[in-house]
Amino acid sequence: MTCLILGAGIAGIASAVRIASKGYDVEVLEANQYAGGKLTEIQNEGYRFDAGPSLFTMPQYVEELFALAGKKTEDYFEYEKLDITCKYFYEDNTIINAYADIEKFKQEISQKTSENPNKITSFLEKSKEKYEITAPVFLEKSLHQLKNYLSLPTLKGILNFGKVEVFKNMHQSNADFFEDKRLVQFFDRYATYNGSDPYQTPATMNVIPHLEFGFGAFFPKKGMHSITKSLVKLAEDLGVKFHFGAKVQEILMGKNYALGAKYIQNNTEKTIFAKKIISNIDIAQTYKKFLPQKFSPNKILNQPKSSSALIFYWGMNTSFEELEMHNIFFSADYKTEFETLWQHKDIYHDPTIYINITAKNKVDDAPKGGENWFVMVNAPNNQGQNWDDIIEKTRKNIQEKLARLLKKDITKNIVCENILDPRTIEIRTGSTQGALYGNSSNNKFAAFLRHANFSSQIPNLYFCGGSVHPGGGIPLCLLSAKIVSEMV
Ligand SMILES: Cc1cc2nc3c(=O)[nH]c(=O)nc-3n(C[C@H](O)[C@H](O)[C@H](O)COP(=O)(O)OP(=O)(O)OC[C@H]3O[C@@H](n4cnc5c(N)ncnc54)[C@H](O)[C@@H]3O)c2cc1C
């Protein structure tokens, strides 16, 4: 049997590995000349940057793929745990190191804030509890198959539902819990891990800190892009055939059955046939561009999308001892920052800045003495804003803010620049409105408003990736591949 996968994003590659390891023939059509979609890299003047994801959590889902294929992970892929998950800079000059070691982190909190450090332990215990209740129901299985509601963990999850705080928003919950505003902001930031707004997303999302503090934050020794490269190599070793520069135009239909796909490669129209088809391409694009209109589940496809990002990739000609691999420079007014993003669809003049420097651990990512700065701010998704103006204004605001908080002018150290914005994310990955994580999770029913991993009308068509269940981010994309391959 041949299984055809449309798109070589991380979920498409992981699905290919899983299905090929069961002995099926798998072919993948990818529009770009490279695999990975959002999980790719940029090279510029001797600097290397991971283009998209920079934080690696839940490595066990990557390990699972090598185990399934009967291979040793270390023959393909290596990673290490970070001691400091992130360094936080506040406008009042407080600096907090988020140590992976909870006791050390509590000590840091007691030295730098007015918060009772034991609150950290109880917050993280609640976060773990939320994870244990929600993961079996919302993450690890299809939400759209009746049989999954009849399992013991799911029933247990449903009975404990009161504990996951669906009816409070994340900010309310954190503001009720912590006395010190800096900790409220610290934990509110986790809403952005799936492109949501802490002032709207349900407090259920307080499950996210458990992924970082409970399981850990990791760094692949050869950079984030090595996740893509090692899994493509694994897939190829299992016989998967990738077609690059192959842009899908249409899913070919029989009566109500998918037959294959039409695509363009090297200016030539081609067709390929398969028994089963999995689309890893954004779900709205899959329906709107490749299938007859009668199949479109419009309500699901038109759900509000997650936020996007504006990223400056700066080659720096010097190094900054005061920075770690992951750094956050918080805005002074988080509420107005998110109102600007979500209500005014703009980037706030004092944005929270995230700087990722992989050269801290992987020294060959920058020329000697220099550093590769991935400088990202949250951005609204693409609704036709004047991005060129927003980019100019934001670059200036970022440079001023960093000069203020680092107490030095960093602008003179920038020797080269690349930019990714919501428009280019949309063009390069096919993601609707350049959203990073598919639908937003601002609505408390969001989990139920994501598309299932299968088509209810076309029995041999399936879906994986950040725009469908269980959602965006590498771990959830890998789980979507697991769910879909079990269905196939
Ligand atoms: C800037 C940024 C930062 C992020 N940070 C993190 C992070 O720190 N941690 C984390 O876990 N996640 C992060 N994410 C999210 C994460 O990258 C995504 O959720 C995940 O990579 C999406 O994978 P996917 O499988 O849905 O496919 P995508 O990466 O969306 O890829 C889809 C693929 O389909 C292909 N395609 C589209 N149209 C066609 C067509 N017509 N024919 C053929 N192929 C087509 C595209 O070329 C692409 O390769 C970030 C994302 C971005 C952009």
Side-chain angles (χ1 to χ4, degrees):
M1 183 199 78
T2 306
C3 178
L4 177 64
I5 299 181
L6 313 179
I10 192 65
I13 303 166
S15 303
V17 167
R18 285 182 173 275
I19 292 167
S21 68
K22 288 183 185 162
Y24 295 110
D25 293 332
V26 181
E27 302 206 23
V28 183
L29 300 180
E30 167 53 51
N32 290 324
Q33 295 295 346
Y34 55 87
K38 299 182 178 78
L39 191 46
T40 183
E41 71 178 9
I42 292 173
Q43 308 261 2
N44 193 5
E45 296 187 24
Y47 295 86
R48 191 201 72 87
F49 304 88
D50 287 310
S54 53
L55 179 67
F56 182 39
T57 53
M58 310 295 269
Q60 61 269 38
Y61 296 143
V62 174
E63 295 242 11
E64 249 181 58
L65 297 170
F66 293 102
L68 204 69
K71 308 279 186 188
K72 283 198 206 132
T73 305
E74 59 273 24
D75 289 344
Y76 290 80
F77 178 66
E78 286 183 308
Y79 61 94
E80 60 201 359
K81 192 169 177 192
L82 298 177
D83 293 334
I84 296 183
T85 57
C86 188
K87 188 166 181 176
Y88 293 84
F89 297 78
Y90 292 80
E91 279 284 346
D92 68 358
N93 289 321
T94 309
I95 296 176
I96 296 178
N97 283 302
Y99 292 104
D101 177 331
I102 307 289
E103 286 311 312
K104 222 168 149 188
F105 180 49
K106 281 168 68 181
Q107 238 173 41
E108 176 84 350
I109 293 305
S110 72
Q111 280 164 13
K112 305 276 181 72
T113 74
S114 57
E115 193 69 54
N116 172 356
N118 291 329
K119 282 278 190 80
I120 298 290
T121 327
S122 39
F123 185 87
L124 292 176
E125 273 166 8
K126 275 174 57 169
S127 176
K128 179 170 187 241
E129 186 181 37
K130 285 194 172 89
Y131 174 81
E132 284 167 355
I133 295 170
T134 53
V137 189
F138 289 105
L139 305 182
E140 291 164 2
K141 296 208 173 69
S142 171
L143 259 188
H144 306 85
Q145 287 179 320
L146 188 61
K147 67 176 188 267
N148 292 335
Y149 287 86
L150 304 175
S151 72
L152 199 61
T154 310
L155 290 174
K156 218 169 119 194
I158 292 168
L159 290 174
N160 280 300
F161 216 65
K163 294 184 178 161
V164 302
E165 293 191 287
V166 179
F167 296 105
K168 226 180 198 187
N169 73 45
M170 180 190 254
H171 173 76
Q172 269 168 359
S173 172
N174 293 343
D176 288 349
F177 193 83
F178 291 107
E179 306 280 327
D180 192 305
K181 287 197 167 51
R182 288 165 292 193
L183 281 168
V184 176
Q185 190 171 23
F186 182 103
F187 284 106
D188 278 359
R189 189 180 79 91
Y190 285 95
T192 64
Y193 280 35
N194 64 12
S196 307
D197 172 358
Y199 298 87
Q200 295 186 59
T201 197
T204 316
M205 291 304 155
N206 276 332
V207 65
I208 300 173
H210 177 60
L211 304 189
E212 205 170 86
F213 284 98
F215 290 100
F218 299 85
F219 179 66
K221 287 188 178 170
K222 293 184 180 160
M224 293 297 286
H225 187 224
S226 71
I227 303 175
T228 296
K229 287 203 290 200
S230 60
L231 291 181
V232 167
K233 165 97 175 57
L234 175 64
E236 284 174 339
D237 288 351
L238 292 169
V240 174
K241 190 165 174 212
F242 287 88
H243 303 262
F244 291 109
K247 190 162 187 202
V248 175
Q249 306 290 303
E250 187 184 335
I251 294 177
L252 299 167
M253 291 294 300
K255 194 157 180 267
N256 272 336
Y257 216 77
L259 302 174
K262 190 159 89 184
Y263 63 101
I264 293 199
Q265 193 179 34
N266 298 326
N267 297 320
T268 310
E269 201 174 275
K270 300 181 179 178
T271 46
I272 182 166
F273 296 95
K275 285 257 159 56
K276 308 257 179 182
I277 299 180
I278 303 174
S279 178
N280 173 221
I281 299 168
D282 183 281
I283 190 74
Q285 307 298 324
T286 300
Y287 276 104
K288 288 180 183 162
K289 290 191 179 156
F290 311 145
L291 285 166
Q293 220 262 321
K294 64 174 182 175
F295 292 114
S296 273
N298 291 327
K299 184 171 176 216
I300 300 252
L301 302 185
N302 295 334
Q303 287 302 306
K305 300 293 169 263
S306 82
S307 56
S308 186
L310 168 61
I311 307 129
F312 297 96
Y313 306 86
W314 287 336
M316 306 298 280
N317 65 5
T318 186
S319 61
F320 293 78
E321 295 307 313
E322 59 275 59
L323 297 181
E324 292 292 327
M325 177 183 279
H326 300 283
N327 308 274
I328 284 288
F329 295 81
F330 271 128
S331 63
D333 181 349
Y334 223 28
K335 189 158 199 312
T336 310
E337 180 179 0
F338 281 95
E339 271 170 18
T340 311
L341 279 170
W342 288 96
Q343 270 84 57
H344 306 294
K345 319 282 181 208
D346 197 356
I347 297 179
Y348 188 44
H349 67 81
D350 171 33
T352 295
I353 305 167
Y354 165 69
I355 303 185
N356 172 240
I357 311 170
T358 58
K360 294 281 182 199
N361 284 34
K362 186 175 174 309
V363 288
D364 61 353
D365 275 354
K368 202 162 184 290
E371 283 180 350
N372 60 339
W373 280 26
F374 166 111
V375 182
M376 179 169 89
V377 296
N378 294 314
N381 51 46
N382 184 19
Q383 305 195 18
Q385 295 91 327
N386 185 338
W387 287 110
D388 293 335
D389 274 6
I390 295 178
I391 289 169
E392 287 313 308
K393 168 185 98 173
T394 305
R395 184 197 287 105
K396 188 168 157 282
N397 291 336
I398 289 175
Q399 290 172 350
E400 280 173 14
K401 185 175 175 78
L402 292 178
R404 191 163 66 241
L405 291 180
L406 290 175
K407 299 178 180 53
K408 59 178 89 152
D409 173 21
I410 57 104
T411 313
K412 61 180 189 320
N413 300 113
I414 303 171
V415 294
C416 60
E417 178 183 90
N418 287 75
I419 298 174
L420 196 63
D421 64 58
R423 291 169 306 188
T424 36
I425 293 172
E426 187 167 3
I427 292 166
R428 288 181 203 170
T429 70
S431 188
T432 301
Q433 294 175 242
L436 303 192
Y437 301 96
N439 289 353
S440 93
S441 295
N442 288 340
N443 179 326
K444 49 177 147 326
F445 302 111
F448 298 96
L449 295 168
R450 259 187 211 104
H451 199 288
N453 300 102
F454 58 92
S455 159
S456 55
Q457 301 173 79
I458 307 169
N460 63 336
L461 180 62
Y462 305 85
F463 310 102
C464 64
S467 65
V468 295
H469 178 73
I474 298 169
L476 299 196
C477 287
L478 293 174
L479 281 175
S480 78
K482 186 172 182 176
I483 295 169
V484 97
S485 62
E486 278 162 15
M487 289 175 174
V488 167

